[in-house]
Structures are given as structure tokens and as C-alpha cells.
Amino acid sequence: MVRLEREGDSFVFITGKTEQSQDITILINAISELKNNPPDHAKIKDGLIFLDKKAEIDIRKEIRTLLMNSIEKKENEK
């Protein structure tokens, strides 16, 4: 199953297991947007929508998995 999802100013196709990572990316983008002056309110709203829809998941576990995958990817590239 494939779906089209908005990410920033563009759209991306979301498939299979990457769906959860993309969701977390939306939240991380929203949080990182807070440091910008002025922040992109659309990205922040996307992060809020994510939190509203995914309240039942353990976000810490999702973020930890994403960070660990990033580290492993970097180590494998060496």
C-alpha cells in the first residue's frame, strides 16, 4: 500500500515500514522549526496533527529507533 503525504513544501510517497519513520520525521521537523525566526507554522501544525493521531504510540521508542538506525547506517558506510 502506498500513500502520498506532505513533507515540508513537497509530497512524498510513503510505503511499508518507512511509514512510521516518516511520521516521526514530521514531528522532528516540527520541533526543529521552533528555533527558526519566524517558524514555519505549517510544519508545526503537521507535528501537532501527528501527536493528535498517534497518541497511543510510545514516541520515545520510535525516536530512539530512528536515531539508532541513523547511527548504524553511518557505521555501515565507513
Side-chain angles (χ1 to χ4, degrees), residues 3 6-9 15 17-18 23-25 28 30 34 37 39 52 54-57 67-68 70 73 78:
R3 76 173 193 266
R6 184 170 165 244
E7 188 170 300
D9 295 335
T15 61
K17 290 185 176 182
T18 60
D23 288 342
I24 293 297
T25 302
I28 292 170
L34 297 173
N37 188 13
D52 290 341
K54 304 293 183 180
E56 73 279 358
I57 66 169
L67 293 173
M68 288 300 295
S70 176
K73 182 179 177 183
K78 290 181 180 180

Side-chain angles (χ1 to χ4, degrees), residues 31-47:
I31 293 169
S32 68
E33 202 51 46
L34 297 173
K35 68 179 178 180
N36 294 337
N37 188 13
D40 183 349
H41 295 289
K43 288 183 181 178
I44 294 171
K45 286 181 184 178
D46 288 343

Side-chain angles (χ1 to χ4, degrees), residues 2-7 10-14:
V2 177
R3 76 173 193 266
L4 186 63
E5 195 171 280
R6 184 170 165 244
E7 188 170 300
S10 60
F11 291 90
V12 293
F13 282 105
I14 306 298

